[in-house]
Amino acid sequence: DAKTTQPNSMESNEEEPVHLPCNHSTISGTDYIHWYRQLPSQGPEYVIHGLTSNVNNRMASLAIAEDRKSSTLILHRATLRDAAVYYCILRRNSGNTPLVFGKGTRLSVIA
Amino acid sequence: EPEVTQTPSHQVTQMGQEVILRCVPISNHLYFYWYRQILGQKVEFLVSFYNNEISEKSEIFDDQFSVERPDGSNFTLKIRSTKLEDSAMYFCASRGQGQANTGELFFGEGSRLTVL
């Protein structure tokens, strides 16, 4: 799987938007961009995914650069419950390819 | 909301003992996975399973590990002879048929294995 680069940690104030960046300069044309998060003492949890167009769901928005070499996960209004490690993962469009997790970004939310 | 359930939540075992970790994936899912996470480290892929056979496995998944779907609901991970370095949180995940490469993986809460 193509490699992604994320900041080790970020901090946000509660009720403010958070933009979590991810660089994936070696992305291939069939790689989907997935975001998962892991709350403390829990298993990973799906957040959102996309291919080329920006995506929105109830949890977050995903903004994908036009050249697809970077993307940004946007939490519109951070809550204390959003404190977690956020993983940006590229997953190749072939067969039963597993998700391969990196170190992710540890997001702290300050009340 | 359907969920992946794992048992036991925590198991303590002596080095060299066999351990079986159990998972009940979401009922209509067809793709199954095991991951592990050593304390303070990243989540590591172990094995994927589909149509009653292993699809892919990592180099961590050596001959000491095996997976099985003994009936229509359970998916198990067996460690034949545990080592100290097998101490970790083990996560089971499953995925529905849908779009094979974009479908969401649902993870369980994990089984913590402590090898003494």
Side-chain angles (χ1 to χ4, degrees):
Chain A
D1 289 302
K3 187 176 170 58
T4 62
T5 304
Q6 300 178 252
N8 290 332
S9 62
M10 291 184 65
E11 202 172 79
S12 172
N13 293 318
E14 197 178 10
E15 298 189 10
E16 290 189 358
V18 183
H19 291 233
L20 296 163
C22 181
N23 287 320
H24 29 79
S25 58
T26 59
I27 191 170
S28 72
T30 55
D31 284 338
Y32 282 78
I33 302 161
H34 293 253
W35 284 83
Y36 280 72
R37 73 179 185 180
Q38 188 175 21
L39 302 171
S41 302
Q42 294 191 26
E45 174 187 33
Y46 169 83
V47 177
I48 200 166
H49 76 274
L51 182 61
T52 56
S53 304
N54 294 344
V55 185
N56 299 295
N57 66 18
R58 63 176 176 80
M59 288 181 71
S61 295
L62 177 59
I64 301 172
E66 199 169 326
D67 64 4
R68 299 211 324 129
K69 295 188 177 186
S70 65
S71 60
T72 303
L73 179 71
I74 302 165
L75 306 180
H76 295 285
R77 198 166 155 268
T79 68
L80 295 178
R81 198 195 170 276
D82 291 321
V85 179
Y86 287 78
Y87 302 97
C88 169
I89 302 168
L90 301 184
R91 185 156 178 259
R92 190 159 300 129
N93 183 24
S94 65
N96 188 15
T97 310
L99 292 173
V100 177
F101 289 80
K103 294 182 180 179
T105 296
R106 181 173 297 278
L107 175 67
S108 302
V109 180
I110 302 167
Chain B
E1 189 173 317
E3 59 181 16
V4 175
T5 57
Q6 292 185 241
T7 55
S9 56
H10 188 195
Q11 181 159 356
V12 180
T13 190
Q14 295 292 322
M15 192 169 56
Q17 294 295 304
E18 177 183 282
V19 161
I20 297 176
L21 305 178
R22 291 182 168 80
C23 170
V24 179
I26 294 172
S27 64
N28 61 347
H29 283 188
L30 299 177
Y31 301 89
F32 312 112
Y33 308 83
W34 282 102
Y35 286 80
R36 79 170 186 191
Q37 187 173 33
I38 296 170
L39 187 63
Q41 298 188 23
K42 64 181 183 180
V43 178
E44 299 175 292
F45 167 71
L46 292 178
V47 66
S48 59
F49 191 87
Y50 170 71
N51 200 27
N52 285 320
E53 61 183 27
I54 291 174
S55 307
E56 191 168 334
K57 58 184 180 179
S58 72
E59 52 190 39
I60 300 169
F61 194 88
D62 61 21
D63 292 343
Q64 292 299 314
F65 291 88
S66 62
V67 289
E68 198 178 29
R69 189 156 162 81
D71 53 42
S73 59
N74 290 287
F75 179 51
T76 62
L77 174 70
K78 182 193 291 186
I79 309 175
R80 190 183 316 155
S81 177
T82 50
K83 303 188 283 283
L84 295 176
E85 53 264 39
D86 293 327
S87 294
M89 183 72 90
Y90 288 81
F91 293 107
C92 173
S94 70
R95 175 165 62 84
Q97 188 161 12
Q99 292 183 344
N101 302 300
T102 61
E104 172 183 351
L105 260 68
F106 291 81
F107 285 81
E109 294 289 312
S111 293
R112 178 167 297 285
L113 176 64
T114 302
V115 182
L116 301 177

